Amino acid sequence: MSALGKHPKGLPYLFLTEMWERFGYYLMIGIFVLYMTDFEKGGLNFDREQAADIFGTFIALELFNSIYRRFTCRQITWLS
């Protein structure tokens, strides 16, 4: 434990790593939407509504995948 408080010494590194991961995730999502809508620079030329639908579907599937993995992991742990 550090002398400044009851937090572990590695907590600042963990915090910065998590923040950097979030920053990279949202940056890539923004680039993904720009790629779908911007045709002049080599994008897919989707309209904003279609790009938003794909973006929303991607986020929903990612959330569902996380829930599914947790459920599956608990079932496997329970069976063993």
Side-chain angles (χ1 to χ4, degrees), residues 36-55:
M36 286 191 289
T37 57
D38 189 13
F39 179 70
E40 294 156 359
K41 296 183 181 176
L44 299 175
N45 198 25
F46 292 159
D47 59 349
R48 287 188 176 263
E49 184 177 321
Q50 189 176 9
D53 287 344
I54 293 171
F55 170 76

Side-chain angles (χ1 to χ4, degrees), residues 2 4 6-8 10 17 20 23-28 30 34 37 40-43 48 58 63-65 67-68 75:
S2 68
L4 297 175
K6 296 185 179 189
H7 298 294
T17 303
W20 185 252
F23 172 74
Y25 171 76
Y26 289 114
L27 180 68
M28 291 307 294
L34 286 175
T37 57
E40 294 156 359
K41 296 183 181 176
R48 287 188 176 263
F58 174 75
L63 176 65
F64 175 73
N65 184 29
I67 294 169
Y68 176 74
Q75 292 299 322

